[in-house]
Amino acid sequence: MQNIKTASSMRNALKGKVIIMSVNGKYEYKIEIDTMEDAKNLVAISTKLKGKIVLKSGTKFSVNAKSLLGVVLAKRLNWNDLTIVMDNDYYHEYQKYIVD
C-alpha cells in the first residue's frame, strides 16, 4: 500500500484550492502549459531545482521537465490531466502553471 500524506496546514492557508499529496515521497500537481513561452519558462524553472522532476499523463507517459524537447512533446501531444511530479515540494516555483 502506498504511503499517502494529505496537505499540511501551511497549504490549507492557500484557501483549499490545491490538493497536495505526497505519494512515496513524491509531490504531484495538475498543471497546464498554454504557450511555447510557458514551456520554456517551466524548463528554466525545472533546471534550477534539485531532484527529479517529470511531467506525466496518466500512467503511460512521462517526460523529463528539465528537457525542453520533453516539455514541448508534452504540449504537442495535448495530454489530458498533465501533472508535474517532483522529489521536493516546489509548489511556489510552479504556482503559475498549477490548476485547481
Side-chain angles (χ1 to χ4, degrees):
M1 185 166 171
Q2 295 177 333
N3 178 21
I4 298 177
K5 300 175 188 172
T6 59
S8 69
S9 60
M10 183 174 110
R11 298 295 187 241
N12 289 336
L14 297 173
K15 301 178 186 172
K17 289 187 176 182
V18 178
I19 297 174
I20 301 156
M21 296 182 80
S22 173
V23 179
N24 292 331
K26 306 281 184 189
Y27 295 88
E28 298 186 21
Y29 301 97
K30 183 174 179 178
I31 65 165
E32 191 172 283
I33 303 169
D34 294 322
T35 65
M36 181 60 104
E37 196 62 34
D38 285 346
K40 289 178 185 177
N41 289 336
L42 188 125
V43 170
I45 292 167
S46 298
T47 55
K48 294 176 184 177
L49 302 174
K50 295 185 181 199
K52 186 174 181 181
I53 303 171
V54 296
L55 296 179
K56 293 180 103 177
S57 178
T59 57
K60 292 185 178 184
F61 302 104
S62 68
V63 295
N64 185 346
K66 296 180 181 185
S67 162
L68 183 58
L69 182 59
V71 174
V72 170
L73 176 64
K75 180 63 180 156
R76 285 276 186 206
L77 292 176
N78 196 22
W79 291 351
N80 293 329
D81 299 321
L82 189 62
T83 59
I84 190 163
V85 180
M86 43 200 149
D87 292 336
N88 301 302
D89 188 7
Y90 294 121
Y91 173 83
H92 293 290
E93 285 79 356
Y94 294 106
Q95 187 173 2
K96 175 181 178 180
Y97 306 104
I98 296 173
V99 294
D100 295 336

